[in-house]
Amino acid sequence: MDRRVRKAVLPVAGLGTRVLPGAKTTPKNMLNVFDRPILSYVIEEGRAAGIEHFVFIVGRGQGAIEDYFDASPEIESALEAKGKADILAEVRRDLPKPGQMSFVRQMAPLGLGHAVWCARDIIGDEPFAVMLPDMLMAAEPAALAQAVSAHDQVGGNIIVVEPAPEGEAHKYGIVDLERQEGRLNRMRGMVEKPAPGTEPSNLFISGRYVLQPDIFPLLEKQGKGAGGEIQLTDAMAELMKAQPFHALEYEGVTYDCGDKIGLLRANVAFALRHPSLGADARAAISGLL
Ligand code: UTP
């Protein structure tokens, strides 16, 4: 069996209710962060981690995602004719080689666990990554690359975590560690939205995972959990009885693009760090204050 992490699952079939009406006709993860869609950054991160095949779990009305990762002969030939080589390179930068992306319909948004389960046939019998694309992670090395290195080191399953803002741990999925020493620690369990004061740590599960394929049969037999959805955390808790899980506190900054203020923060941050437009962006933003 290949132990390398070659494939990543990107569940994008949620309804994006927190960013409506923007996400009504544009899939949430196709919304722009400054000059490119959220998914462009996430694919770049995946590639930096050595991912060779991306499996998107999509819903109805999300054809724009497939179109974005396909050639666009009209646009490309118009740019070629006009000699706009720089824009052409931008348009082509995210394109996969044919066969490096798959698109699976979830058919009903039954929860993150169900979305991941939809990838079972394409993943097969090898470890794989899960990337929740609403979480943009600015990191060097890339956040998923840090998780893959941790997997190379300790094997099993890896969950990327980060400290919750002071007093906000009860809003998140929080990990319970055997002991907290350095950034990579063996887990004992996890709790979804613990009551204030009962949090086992301040580290929340932030949207990147490396999982073993043994998660699939557990997702298959799972009933509905919290919120009437099939939860990934419930299946991971079950798998933890048989296999080690480590929490990796990654080094970097996360922007949660799943709500309006997080998306705004990401827009400002990525505009400020843009290689050619960053200085103009800074002037434009300070002019607003
Ligand atoms: P979220 O709950 O953050 O996304 O799920 P959402 O449902 O789109 O957002 P809101 O709460 O309505 O605003 C985390 C990720 O899992 C995907 C979502 O698309 C998102 O990328 N997801 C969630 C699915 O693919 N299928 C589901 O059934 C649920």
Side-chain angles (χ1 to χ4, degrees):
M1 201 203 305
D2 197 336
R3 301 320 300 171
R4 282 187 313 132
V5 181
R6 302 187 307 121
K7 298 177 186 169
V9 178
L10 284 78
V12 292
L15 298 176
T17 49
R18 286 167 297 152
V19 286
L20 283 171
K24 184 177 168 189
T25 49
T26 301
K28 172 169 74 172
N29 298 292
M30 290 303 294
L31 296 174
N32 250 26
V33 164
F34 191 46
D35 65 340
R36 39 197 188 112
I38 294 169
L39 278 176
S40 167
Y41 297 90
V42 179
I43 292 298
E44 185 176 44
E45 179 194 332
R47 290 196 175 124
I51 298 299
E52 296 164 4
H53 192 116
F54 293 91
V55 186
F56 290 88
I57 311 301
V58 294
R60 277 179 293 287
Q62 295 191 321
I65 300 176
E66 272 178 78
D67 290 342
Y68 181 78
F69 290 107
D70 195 0
S72 44
E74 296 81 6
I75 293 177
E76 291 175 42
S77 52
L79 291 171
E80 250 158 27
K82 287 185 185 157
K84 307 245 183 213
D86 48 345
I87 306 180
L88 189 58
E90 283 290 301
V91 166
R92 287 181 173 156
R93 65 182 280 172
D94 294 325
L95 294 185
K97 291 202 187 97
Q100 287 183 328
M101 283 187 179
S102 302
F103 296 84
V104 179
R105 288 275 186 132
Q106 190 183 3
M107 300 176 81
L110 296 179
L112 177 58
H114 181 264
V116 171
W117 176 72
C118 289
R120 65 199 178 284
D121 279 347
I122 299 175
I123 299 298
D125 194 21
E126 54 184 276
F128 64 101
V130 175
M131 306 177 82
L132 302 191
D134 358 8
M135 294 301 210
L136 268 197
M137 295 181 167
E140 191 51 52
L144 188 64
Q146 296 180 35
V148 168
S149 303
H151 176 260
D152 291 344
Q153 205 182 318
V154 293
N157 301 270
I158 306 291
I159 299 184
V160 172
V161 297
E162 65 187 284
E166 188 70 33
E168 291 192 12
H170 62 279
K171 295 185 184 166
Y172 298 94
I174 300 290
V175 294
D176 185 4
L177 305 175
E178 281 188 356
R179 79 178 97 81
Q180 199 166 347
E181 217 175 75
R183 291 184 171 269
L184 184 61
N185 289 289
R186 177 105 184 229
M187 285 173 60
R188 198 157 46 196
M190 63 202 124
V191 246
E192 205 50 66
K193 301 191 174 65
T198 67
E199 306 89 348
S201 76
N202 70 334
L203 297 173
F204 78 92
I205 299 177
S206 62
R208 302 288 183 271
Y209 313 72
V210 174
L211 297 173
Q212 298 299 323
D214 313 80
I215 196 85
F216 291 123
L218 299 174
L219 285 168
E220 170 126 29
K221 70 172 187 167
Q222 205 190 81
K224 289 181 180 170
E229 296 192 334
I230 297 177
Q231 300 286 347
L232 182 61
T233 38
D234 293 343
M236 292 194 300
E238 194 61 29
L239 184 57
M240 209 177 295
K241 293 178 188 161
Q243 290 183 3
F245 272 70
H246 283 80
L248 170 72
E249 191 183 338
Y250 92 110
E251 290 184 72
V253 181
T254 300
Y255 301 92
D256 181 358
C257 299
D259 75 53
K260 291 181 181 179
I261 297 299
L263 187 56
L264 174 67
R265 273 186 75 233
N267 266 286
V268 174
F270 283 87
L272 290 175
R273 75 167 59 160
H274 190 280
S276 59
L277 295 172
D280 288 349
R282 181 171 301 276
I285 293 162
S286 20
L288 293 174
L289 299 174

